[in-house]
Amino acid sequence: MHLPIKIGKAALVIALVLLVPILSLWAVSARAETNATATVDRNALGPDDTLTLTVSVSSDDDVAIAQPNLPPIQDFEILNEWQSQETRSTLVTTPSGPKFQTIRSTKHNFLLQPTREGTLGIPSVEVVVEGKTFLTKPITIRVGKNLAVPPSERANSRSAPGGNIQLPPGFLDDEDADDLFSQLLRQRGFGQRGQGGGGASRTLPINPNEAFFIQVEADKTEAYVGEQITVSWYLYTRGMIRDLDTLKYPSLRGFWKEDIEIATHLNFVDEVVNGLPYKKALLASFALFPIKEGSATIDPYTAKCTVIPATDAMGGLALGKPYAFTKSSQPIKVQVKPLPVEGRPADFSGAIGDFQVSARTEEANIVSNQPFNLKIRFEGRGNAKLIEMPPFQPPEGLELYDTQKDSKFFRTGTSYKDFSVLLIPRREGEFTIPPITVSMFDPAQRKYITKSTELLRVLVRQGSGPQAGGNSMAADGKKAAQAVDLAPKLLTEYTRPWTMTPAERSVGFTVIFLFMGASLFFRARTQLGWGQKKKDLVRKLRARLRRVEAKGSQGDWRGVGVEMTNTVYFVLGEISGEGGAHVELEKLLAKAPPSVRREIAMPLMKQMEIFNVLSFAPESVVGDLKNADNLQRAVNEMQKLMEKAVALGVSSGRGDESEEDPRAF
């Protein structure tokens, strides 16, 4: 009779134990007021601009907030994401009296870039707080070229940096600093973009929120033929550069180029551009000399950088996710003027610039019939390598034997050229070498000027007699010719006719058998179809390359990237025997013959980055890669690699020993 009562009491105790935490949790949830909203920093933007989607969750209590569940957004690409937290306390009035209310908020930020133009939508975002689900309101975004964000608005945005990406707070200066920097640029003769006063050119970023940009500086944009133009390319960034890959150095057609400095590593210095702090590093510096008159172009420098942006987290800067971007400098037009014809001296040596000319002898003791050097040197600013030997007539008694030349260009932008004139004195006594006069064109003065060396006096002592020189060598040759005995010899020995020895007969038969065996081998190879695999692969590769060419002729650069990527996987799949469509590139290379990995693995991976960008990256990231010349250059390079892969892979013992060379396309 008492058993049911005991069970009832036990059940009541268990129920109370289970209900107390639940009721406490319900009380906390009921007491906590939570809100979830989604906002964007702009509702209208250009196709190359970015926007920041911020999902904010605020509560007046310390609650557990799960990571927002961002739904698939087809019309936008997520470039970066970061999180920040904020706590704010305010004094509020309640029925029980005034008290402080603390609001805790967590912001999840997503940097988005549109993938097309038109009216796009960001759907509702799901946020879970303490097990309860909140949905934000959907957002409509308009994207169009006429809706591009002005630079002034971009500079005032605060988001995570990336390629064409906005930056976190703390990186932006006020408008006064921007105006002051613009005034300084005008005082230095630089415009906001492109050419400025004084003929100099310095390009500045179109979008100050780019992860990095490449600036080109030229000390002049108008020059005479042969006049020196110093051009330098710099990398500017507001993030951290993890690695740099130069995709294309400027070709600089129409210029004679001398290297001043090619950076082997990045040495960053701080610099302010338009009121914004940047880190600057030299990439390359050249001295250029126009070859012909007319209009010439300093073409872009293209580089791919992996940038680690700095993001705002917990009130301080932290490193974000790395992103790879490809950027190019702006081209610079140079107007090349011809050298004046009027007033050009007859002894003009081709020296264009500011040069000093000197002459000296290197030997302290000079004796007759022994050569000595007269060195004529041009040294200064300009391309001394283009200077020709000035007219020189040695005085009577000095024989001109030979002339040698040597030149060098220095990193300071100066150069020299030495002419070593080998002279042979044919008598003793004092010789006077008159001044050597030479004319050159000075671009600074815009006229021809004449300079000359100093008069030289050379004292020649008596030698020990004729020495080995040009005349003595000729005399020795004549004596040697006269010493040849042309008298017929008397035949005193009998020579037997040639017959084959047993060893020679053995070698002869061996050669015959080898020739017959080789003939049978090649006939069997033809009849049995040896080498057919290579022929088939060559034929299929040609067909695929024709499809790539067709895409390129239609201007479909995206199709070129996709078709060439498929071609690479097909060829490597055939060589490795793995098929290729479902296997990663690294695995295909790992199963390819060692000669393929050794010869083409590194350049292939580098070229594949270009075609991956063409295939999948947004158009703003593709940049100049889609230009016809750059596209053709990339296709040609990849075609060479594929032809080499076929030549190495199929003939490397993978079931086919054909010697046919598929590179003869």
Side-chain angles (χ1 to χ4, degrees):
M1 295 296 294
H2 297 285
L3 184 59
I5 298 175
K6 292 182 180 180
I7 294 177
K9 291 181 179 180
L12 180 61
V13 172
I14 293 174
L16 290 175
V17 170
L18 295 176
L19 284 175
V20 167
I22 297 175
L23 292 174
S24 300
L25 181 61
W26 175 83
V28 171
S29 301
R31 185 172 65 251
E33 182 178 353
T34 303
N35 293 312
T37 59
T39 59
V40 291
D41 58 347
R42 58 178 61 90
N43 294 93
L45 67 159
D48 295 329
D49 294 326
T50 59
L51 64 87
T52 302
L53 170 66
T54 302
V55 180
S56 302
V57 181
S58 60
S59 176
D60 57 359
D61 202 345
D62 190 7
V63 293
I65 303 173
Q67 177 74 18
N69 185 15
L70 200 65
I73 305 178
Q74 299 179 353
D75 298 330
F76 292 88
E77 179 183 5
I78 302 176
L79 299 180
N80 198 3
E81 58 182 281
W82 69 102
Q83 179 180 329
S84 62
Q85 294 181 348
E86 182 183 43
T87 301
R88 184 176 67 254
S89 297
T90 57
L91 185 64
V92 297
T93 303
T94 64
S96 59
K99 67 176 183 178
F100 281 97
Q101 183 182 32
T102 301
I103 303 297
R104 297 174 174 84
S105 62
T106 301
K107 295 183 178 181
H108 299 271
N109 303 282
F110 303 88
L111 191 69
L112 307 179
Q113 185 172 39
T115 57
R116 64 179 182 88
E117 297 182 19
T119 302
L120 314 182
I122 299 177
S124 300
V125 181
E126 181 180 283
V127 182
V128 179
V129 181
E130 296 288 349
K132 184 178 180 180
T133 300
F134 295 84
L135 288 177
T136 64
K137 294 181 179 180
I139 302 174
T140 301
I141 305 295
R142 291 184 300 120
V143 180
K145 294 181 179 179
N146 58 339
L147 302 174
V149 181
S152 58
E153 285 188 28
R154 297 175 188 168
N156 293 326
S157 300
R158 295 188 171 187
S159 300
N164 199 18
I165 296 176
Q166 303 161 343
L167 293 162
F171 277 79
L172 304 178
D173 288 347
D174 54 23
E175 296 180 358
D176 294 336
D178 183 64
D179 294 339
L180 177 60
F181 185 74
S182 299
Q183 295 172 12
L184 291 175
L185 288 179
R186 288 192 289 270
Q187 293 173 5
R188 293 179 56 189
F190 292 116
Q192 182 69 13
R193 291 180 56 200
Q195 300 178 2
S201 177
R202 181 190 190 193
T203 59
L204 294 178
I206 300 175
N207 181 1
N209 297 314
E210 290 179 318
F212 76 94
F213 68 93
I214 299 176
Q215 179 201 69
V216 55
E217 295 183 4
D219 63 348
K220 56 178 71 76
T221 56
E222 185 176 295
Y224 289 96
V225 173
E227 181 182 355
Q228 179 171 329
I229 304 173
T230 303
V231 185
S232 301
W233 286 265
Y234 296 92
L235 173 69
Y236 283 74
T237 182
R238 298 177 68 193
M240 178 183 295
I241 300 295
R242 191 180 71 180
D243 52 59
L244 169 69
D245 184 12
T246 298
L247 300 181
K248 177 183 176 295
Y249 281 99
S251 58
L252 303 173
R253 295 185 180 90
F255 296 94
W256 176 303
K257 183 191 73 172
E258 292 290 342
D259 296 347
I260 294 179
E261 184 173 359
I262 305 295
T264 56
H265 59 281
L266 299 178
N267 293 320
F268 284 100
V269 296
D270 295 329
E271 184 168 316
V272 177
V273 178
N274 285 345
L276 301 177
Y278 282 87
K279 293 182 178 180
K280 168 185 175 182
L282 176 69
L283 296 174
S285 182
F286 300 130
L288 306 181
F289 303 90
I291 297 175
K292 60 181 180 179
E293 62 180 286
S295 179
T297 301
I298 301 174
D299 50 321
Y301 183 113
T302 303
K304 178 181 179 182
C305 284
T306 301
V307 183
I308 303 177
T311 61
D312 186 13
M314 298 297 292
L317 293 179
L319 296 181
K321 181 180 177 181
Y323 291 92
F325 302 99
T326 299
K327 300 286 184 181
S328 298
S329 63
Q330 299 179 25
I332 294 180
K333 294 288 185 181
V334 178
Q335 189 63 34
V336 184
K337 301 179 293 185
L339 295 177
V341 177
E342 184 179 356
R344 179 181 296 183
D347 60 349
F348 175 59
S349 62
I352 303 171
D354 184 13
F355 292 97
Q356 300 298 323
V357 58
S358 61
R360 72 180 191 277
T361 57
E362 296 185 331
E363 288 78 2
N365 297 316
I366 302 175
V367 298
S368 60
N369 296 310
Q370 290 193 4
F372 71 94
N373 268 315
L374 171 66
K375 181 164 288 187
I376 305 171
R377 165 169 283 211
F378 290 84
E379 186 172 9
R381 184 170 180 81
N383 190 2
K385 294 182 177 181
L386 299 176
I387 300 176
E388 299 296 334
M389 172 70 183
F392 174 69
Q393 181 63 39
E396 184 181 356
L398 288 181
E399 178 184 337
L400 178 58
Y401 184 74
D402 190 19
T403 301
Q404 297 180 346
K405 53 190 177 182
D406 177 52
S407 60
K408 186 175 182 179
F409 198 93
F410 296 100
R411 293 177 60 179
T412 57
T414 61
S415 61
Y416 77 84
K417 189 167 188 177
D418 284 340
F419 295 94
S420 296
V421 182
L422 194 63
L423 300 173
I424 302 177
R426 291 307 181 187
R427 62 174 176 83
E428 71 276 6
E430 185 179 71
F431 293 87
T432 299
I433 300 177
I436 300 172
T437 303
V438 61
S439 295
M440 59 189 69
F441 182 77
D442 188 349
Q445 303 183 42
R446 301 183 180 181
K447 65 178 183 179
Y448 295 94
I449 60 175
T450 301
K451 294 186 178 182
S452 61
T453 64
E454 297 181 353
L455 183 143
L456 294 177
R457 298 186 185 276
V458 179
L459 183 61
V460 179
R461 296 185 296 105
Q462 175 66 44
S464 58
Q467 301 296 323
N471 294 338
S472 61
M473 286 189 291
D476 291 342
K478 292 180 181 179
K479 293 178 181 179
Q482 294 173 358
V484 177
D485 185 7
L486 300 179
K489 294 182 179 180
L490 181 63
L491 184 61
T492 59
E493 296 179 356
Y494 170 74
T495 303
R496 295 182 58 187
W498 177 81
T499 57
M500 294 181 63
T501 64
E504 292 172 339
R505 284 195 295 271
S506 176
V507 171
F509 285 118
T510 301
V511 171
I512 293 173
F513 287 134
L514 288 176
F515 176 79
M516 294 175 62
S519 300
L520 292 174
F521 170 80
F522 284 107
R523 183 173 180 81
R525 175 179 179 271
T526 303
Q527 296 295 328
L528 297 178
W530 296 349
Q532 191 61 39
K533 178 181 178 181
K534 178 180 289 186
K535 292 180 181 179
D536 293 340
L537 185 54
V538 168
R539 178 175 50 80
K540 294 177 182 178
L541 176 57
R542 287 175 178 170
R544 287 178 174 267
L545 291 175
R546 284 194 292 269
R547 291 203 295 269
V548 174
E549 292 176 359
K551 294 290 185 180
S553 62
Q554 297 170 5
D556 184 8
W557 51 268
R558 186 79 75 182
V560 170
V562 173
E563 287 291 342
M564 185 57 80
T565 300
N566 293 337
T567 299
V568 172
Y569 277 85
F570 166 77
V571 171
L572 293 181
E574 291 294 315
I575 292 174
S576 62
E578 293 294 324
H582 61 284
V583 183
E584 297 177 1
L585 184 62
E586 291 80 4
K587 293 182 179 179
L588 291 176
L589 287 171
K591 295 188 178 182
S595 58
V596 174
R597 296 195 300 271
R598 182 176 61 254
E599 296 290 333
I600 73 166
M602 293 300 293
L604 177 64
M605 297 297 291
K606 183 176 180 180
Q607 288 297 114
M608 280 298 292
E609 292 180 359
I610 298 176
F611 289 100
N612 285 334
V613 170
L614 290 169
S615 301
F616 309 110
E619 186 171 357
S620 60
V621 176
V622 175
D624 291 337
L625 288 178
K626 64 178 181 291
N627 292 349
D629 292 342
N630 296 336
L631 201 62
Q632 186 63 48
R633 193 178 299 109
V635 170
N636 292 342
E637 186 63 26
M638 185 62 84
Q639 178 177 341
K640 294 178 182 177
L641 292 175
M642 290 297 96
E643 293 170 358
K644 191 171 184 179
V646 173
L648 296 172
V650 181
S651 61
S652 298
R654 295 285 172 134
D656 194 338
E657 294 294 332
S658 170
E659 295 297 326
E660 179 183 353
D661 188 1
R663 288 174 287 185
F665 272 61

